[in-house]
């Protein structure tokens, strides 16, 4: 709390945790990530331990950790009690260890879930994709080839940029793995996720998603309007682009529309 006050953040750690709880209740499986600065001026050992405990309690899906660095011209640059570089590095190491544990815990929580995956690349015989809550998924070609009930066009050569559902069955290196789940219901849409988040925040959905709607949902009805009559237009030659506007004053003698202004002499020359 003391570090947040020195940073002049308009919220407390308790308020942040309460908001995260509301969002997770609204969107099960939501990936909540954060950035953490270690070694901000005035950060004591006790304050760092409090930050470490808070990050562990919230259980972020990913944590981006970086040390504080002085930026000239900012108010923080003039704050007293700067944290020595070696202490910053030690604190960073501990926070990074926790971040890795939390990311693995979040991946472990996905086991048994059916998640939508966008397949992005194929590497060393495996397809790599990302779920809608930012978990890396590995799929071996042989798993795809022997999947019963798969559509004829679903083969190892046609997954790029496609979205399919995967049943997560285990952990993989830096991610999870599982077979395709063919013939299941549609996944969540962006509009549905945004709507759940907005309900948790008490905000209108159009603040997050403009024009989005769920799959199969009809477009919004609009009042019918008579067609507008538009005047016919004629393509103009390129030289007319910089011509006069309607009602514009004629050019001064010796000058013309679309003509470059004469070069001015540099008085310093």
């Amino acid at each position: 709390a003391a570090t947040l006050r020195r940073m002049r953040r308009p919220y407390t750690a308790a308020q942040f945790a309460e908001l995260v709880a509301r969002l997770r209740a609204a969107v099960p499986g939501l990936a909540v990530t954060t950035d953490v600065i270690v070694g901000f001026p005035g950060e004591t050992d006790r304050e760092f331990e409090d930050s470490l405990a808070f990050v562990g309690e919230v259980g972020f899906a990913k944590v981006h950790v970086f040390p504080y660095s002085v930026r000239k011209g900012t108010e923080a640059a003039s704050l007293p009690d700067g944290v020595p570089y070696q202490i910053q590095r030690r604190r960073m190491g501990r926070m990074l260890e926790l971040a890795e544990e939390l990311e693995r815990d979040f991946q472990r929580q996905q086991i048994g879930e059916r998640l939508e995956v966008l397949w992005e690349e194929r590497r060393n015989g495996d397809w790599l994709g990302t779920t809608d809550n930012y978990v890396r998924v590995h799929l071996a070609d042989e798993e795809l080839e022997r999947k019963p009930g798969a559509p004829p066009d679903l083969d190892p050569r046609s997954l790029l940029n496609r979205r399919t559902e995967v049943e997560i069955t285990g952990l993989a290196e830096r991610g999870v793995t599982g077979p395709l789940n063919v013939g299941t219901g549609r996944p969540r849409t962006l509009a549905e996720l945004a709507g759940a988040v907005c309900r948790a925040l008490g905000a209108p959905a159009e603040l997050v998603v403009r024009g989005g709607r769920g799959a199969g949902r009809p477009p919004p009805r609009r009042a019918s309007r008579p067609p507008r009559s538009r005047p016919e237009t004629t393509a103009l030659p390129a030289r007319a682009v910089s011509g006069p506007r309607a009602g514009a004053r004629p050019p001064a003698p010796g000058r013309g529309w679309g003509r470059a202004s004469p070069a001015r002499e540099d008085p310093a020359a």
Side-chain angles (χ1 to χ4, degrees), residues 31-243:
V32 182
T33 66
T34 192
D35 294 340
V36 174
I37 300 175
V38 299
F40 191 79
E43 182 186 65
T44 64
D45 290 340
R46 176 59 184 273
E47 288 174 356
F48 172 74
E49 294 296 335
D50 289 343
S51 297
L52 199 68
F54 178 78
V55 170
E57 291 170 4
V58 174
F60 294 101
K62 283 189 178 181
V63 182
H64 177 214
V65 186
F66 55 97
Y68 169 79
S69 58
V70 177
R71 182 168 296 178
K72 293 182 179 180
T74 63
E75 185 176 346
S78 61
L79 291 178
D81 303 323
V83 179
Y85 176 77
Q86 293 301 327
I87 296 179
Q88 283 189 350
R89 299 302 298 179
R90 286 199 298 269
R91 292 176 182 175
M92 263 201 69
R94 293 185 59 192
M95 189 67 75
L96 285 170
E97 288 179 5
L98 176 60
E100 187 174 348
E101 294 175 8
L102 294 177
E103 182 175 2
R104 207 58 171 162
D105 287 344
F106 184 75
Q107 294 169 352
R108 194 174 290 109
Q109 294 170 19
Q110 311 310 308
I111 296 177
E113 299 289 338
R114 295 177 177 178
L115 304 176
E116 182 189 22
V117 178
L118 172 63
W119 299 106
E120 300 166 297
E121 63 174 318
R122 188 181 182 189
R123 186 189 305 168
N124 300 326
D126 285 357
W127 275 98
L128 302 178
T130 305
T131 67
D132 62 359
N133 56 355
Y134 302 103
V135 176
R136 196 67 160 164
V137 180
H138 299 248
L139 176 68
D141 283 349
E142 55 267 23
E143 288 289 339
L144 183 59
E145 291 169 350
R146 65 170 179 251
K147 182 67 180 177
D153 65 334
L154 199 58
D155 61 59
R157 295 161 295 182
S158 65
L159 276 184
L160 184 64
N161 292 331
R162 292 189 60 171
R163 296 187 300 175
T164 66
E165 194 175 74
V166 171
E167 184 173 1
I168 307 303
T169 58
L171 297 175
E173 183 180 0
R174 297 185 179 181
V176 297
T177 186
L180 291 180
N181 198 33
V182 180
T184 58
R186 68 175 179 86
R188 297 172 295 183
T189 65
L190 175 61
E192 291 169 338
L193 292 172
V197 170
C198 288
R199 285 191 295 272
L201 298 177
E206 55 267 22
L207 294 180
V208 177
V209 176
R210 297 182 180 273
R213 58 179 182 269
R217 188 176 303 173
R221 299 182 62 182
R222 297 178 180 177
S224 59
R225 297 179 180 176
R228 297 180 179 178
S229 59
R230 298 182 178 179
E232 295 184 359
T233 59
T234 304
L236 298 177
R239 64 176 180 273
V241 172
S242 58

